[in-house]
Amino acid sequence: MLLVLLAVALLGPAVAAALTALVHALIIAAAVLLGLAAGGLVAYGAYRLRQRRPEPPRVVHRITPAVPWRSEPLPGTRAAIAPAQEVHLHFHGVDAEDIAAAIRHQQDDRL
């Protein structure tokens, strides 16, 4: 600032305007460089955090592995799903002869 005031007093308004523009440009460049440096520092910190690997676990003592356990099958095994005890049928728009044939066919399958 002091240089700008001195230039205005000695050299005139044209040189003072040029010096003011130069100082303004230098301030903008310094702010941009500081912003880039801060962004780079944040990026470097994030990189270091992501690259940090946990230390492998240390073996303090050995543990004997467990013996595999086998279960015995239950006596008298039975089927998981039993046949249906009752069937409830709905015949809509079917003749009586067709219904009788379907019931006979179902009864033949059970035997």
Side-chain angles (χ1 to χ4, degrees):
M1 272 313 221
L2 185 61
L3 288 175
V4 173
L5 292 175
L6 183 63
V8 167
L10 296 177
L11 300 173
V15 175
L19 283 176
T20 305
L22 180 65
V23 169
H24 191 244
L26 288 176
I27 290 173
I28 290 174
V32 168
L33 287 176
L34 283 174
L36 287 174
L41 189 62
V42 168
Y44 179 72
Y47 170 76
R48 292 295 294 168
L49 281 175
R50 293 200 48 115
Q51 294 301 320
R52 195 176 290 169
R53 302 247 192 274
E55 190 175 311
R58 296 184 179 132
V59 177
V60 178
H61 57 84
R62 295 205 177 263
I63 298 173
T64 307
V67 178
W69 180 67
R70 294 184 182 212
S71 63
E72 297 295 325
L74 296 174
T77 58
R78 56 189 172 120
I81 299 175
Q85 300 293 326
E86 174 183 318
V87 177
H88 188 79
L89 303 174
H90 292 265
F91 296 107
H92 299 283
V94 181
D95 295 336
E97 293 86 25
D98 293 333
I99 294 172
I103 291 173
R104 270 194 308 274
H105 180 71
Q106 183 183 10
Q107 289 174 347
D108 290 341
D109 285 345
R110 284 188 186 172
L111 298 177

